[in-house]
């Protein structure tokens, strides 16, 4: 994951409703959930939920698939791990270069 992709994901997760949808889909696992079930659990109007899901899909966080007449949403495989990995990739590596520059 690069900085632009991470920023796009984090921007879309910055909405409390979208974050709630994403977290619910994480709980649902790889099978995902039908849109109607998401709506009932989170008590979000259908038109509003559709907007939030489309934003999550646009950011590459969520996939949608049809099963007959049902629309099923799930988190995109590996994207959560990639985002967390990007955020923590340089954890505790310090700033050794800054220390040697200031000592000179």
């Amino acid at each position: 994951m690069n900085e632009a992709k991470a920023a796009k994901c984090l921007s879309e997760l910055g909405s409390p409703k979208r974050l709630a949808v994403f977290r619910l889909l994480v709980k649902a696992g790889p099978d995902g959930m039908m849109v109607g079930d998401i709506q009932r659990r989170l008590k979000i109007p259908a038109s509003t939920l559709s907007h939030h899901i489309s934003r999550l899909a646009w950011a590459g966080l969520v996939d949608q698939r049809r099963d007959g007449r049902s629309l099923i949403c799930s988190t995109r495989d590996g994207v959560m791990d990639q985002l967390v990995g990007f955020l923590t990739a340089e954890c505790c590596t310090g700033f050794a270069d800054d220390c040697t520059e200031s000592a000179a």
Side-chain angles (χ1 to χ4, degrees):
M1 181 167 291
N2 61 33
E3 196 169 278
K5 174 69 175 165
K8 188 176 188 180
C9 289
L10 292 169
S11 175
E12 295 309 320
L13 291 172
S15 158
K17 295 287 187 193
R18 285 193 282 275
L19 183 58
V21 171
F22 186 76
R23 291 186 72 211
L24 184 63
L25 292 174
V26 168
K27 287 179 189 178
D31 291 339
M33 291 183 76
M34 289 188 294
V35 171
D37 291 338
I38 298 169
Q39 182 184 0
R40 279 187 290 282
R41 286 181 180 262
L42 297 179
K43 296 176 177 49
I44 299 174
S47 60
T48 304
L49 179 59
S50 176
H51 166 75
H52 290 308
I53 290 171
S54 69
R55 296 298 300 182
L56 292 169
W58 172 79
L61 292 162
V62 169
D63 282 325
Q64 300 177 65
R65 67 183 185 282
R66 287 243 172 241
D67 184 12
R69 295 178 61 188
S70 299
L71 182 61
I72 299 171
C73 298
S74 59
T75 57
R76 183 162 286 170
D77 190 35
V79 73
M80 181 179 61
D81 293 333
Q82 291 171 16
L83 181 58
V84 171
F86 174 81
L87 293 172
T88 60
E90 297 180 32
C91 179
C92 306
T93 58
F95 296 98
D97 292 343
D98 291 349
C99 295
T100 56
E101 287 177 17
S102 63

